[in-house]
Every structure is written in C-alpha cells, then in structure tokens.
Amino acid sequence: MPTAARSTQTWTIAPRAVDSPEALALLRAYFVEVSDRYYRLHEGRDSTPTEIEEGLADAPSDHLAPPQGLFLIGRYGTEPAACAGLLLRDGHTAELTRVFVRPDLRGTGGGRLLMAAVDDAARAVGVTRIVLDTRLDLIEARTLYTRTGYVEVPAYNDGKYAEIWYAKDLAAADRPDAT
C-alpha cells in the first residue's frame, strides 16, 4: 500500500476475544515472525510449516482470556494489524506478552498507541507494575518498550527464549514528576 494512502488511516485499539478469528490470525503472524527470526539467527533459515504448527500448539494463548488475562487488538483503519496480551500474575502485577505490529505498519504510531492502551487496561484492573521478557534479537520490540517507559530489570523467570527482562511501574508513570 502506498504511503500516501496510509496517511488517511487511523489506529484504534480495543479488547477482543483471544480466540476470535482476527486474534488467531494476528497471533499466527506474530509467531511466524518471531520463529522465522529465531531460525534465521541460529540456523540460517526460516521456520518450516511443521515447526510453526508445533510452536503454536506448544505456546497457546488461551491464558490471555478473562478473568486472568486480556487481549488487545489494534486496527489500522478497519484492518486488524497489531496485538498485545496481558496476563495477571497477582493483584498488582501483569505480564505483557504477544506484542506485535505488522511489519508493514511499523512506524505509523500503532505501537505507541497499543502500549498506551495496555497501560490503561492494566490500570483499570488495579495493576501497578507490568513485566515482560523478550529476546535480544527483537530490536523493534525492545525499542518500543524502552520508548514507552520500560526499564531493564533482573530476570524474574527462566523462560526458554527469555534473554532480557523489562518492567514498568505504572504508579511512578502516573506521578507528575515522573519523566
């Protein structure tokens, strides 16, 4: 799509069922991207269809359904184009996961709006801290996290693909003196 045609589009973010067709399509696109990047880095090739299907089966997203989770979908115009999940870990902490913006729409502001919607959704259920883990090679995601107030923290889990951990203190972000 030409850049000029995109300029009339707007982003909207809203909660959706994690098992809806649009959520499943975004989750598949997310998984294909992170899987392909992993295999390119470590084996010099893309994921095979079998590896994608096995990976999706091994890492379901049903935990992002209420009451313990929340799934947000970002639309660019009318098209589903971004997603993020929140998993409630305890009464005040949530884990951010499955953050994805379609590659062709990165740089259009959707990532920042998605992260602001994540913060708002977390606050609405009483969360004061959001944590996440990611891989070092996911540079775009890491840049988005730090630009939206996340800071590197010590490891809080031993996830198979976790290489760096971040957290955001929502209470501090709400203070007028916070930067």
Side-chain angles (χ1 to χ4, degrees), residues 63-150:
H63 61 296
L64 300 175
Q68 76 273 12
L70 173 72
F71 195 73
L72 299 171
I73 289 184
R75 293 180 179 282
Y76 190 69
T78 60
E79 188 176 348
C83 63
L86 271 178
L87 176 63
L88 301 177
R89 294 175 55 91
D90 62 39
H92 300 287
T93 304
E95 184 169 9
L96 181 61
T97 186
R98 311 294 199 266
V99 177
F100 176 72
V101 177
R102 278 194 5 227
D104 62 316
L105 293 174
R106 292 178 186 156
T108 62
R112 284 185 179 262
L113 288 173
L114 182 64
M115 297 301 283
V118 163
D119 290 355
D120 291 344
R123 286 184 185 102
V125 295
V127 167
T128 58
R129 184 171 191 251
I130 302 175
V131 297
L132 66 93
D133 67 66
T134 192
R135 294 191 335 234
L136 292 171
D137 66 308
L138 299 177
I139 301 297
E140 301 89 343
R142 292 176 50 215
T143 300
L144 178 63
Y145 302 143
T146 58
R147 286 185 179 167
T148 56
Y150 286 79

Side-chain angles (χ1 to χ4, degrees), residues 12-37:
T12 56
I13 314 291
R16 292 289 184 257
V18 71
D19 61 353
S20 68
E22 61 193 4
L24 295 173
L26 284 166
L27 287 165
R28 176 175 287 278
Y30 157 82
F31 192 82
V32 168
E33 180 173 358
V34 297
S35 181
D36 280 353
R37 288 174 74 155

Side-chain angles (χ1 to χ4, degrees), residues 136 142 146 150-154 163-167:
L136 292 171
R142 292 176 50 215
T146 58
Y150 286 79
V151 295
E152 190 174 342
V153 297
E163 296 176 324
I164 190 167
W165 296 259
Y166 293 96

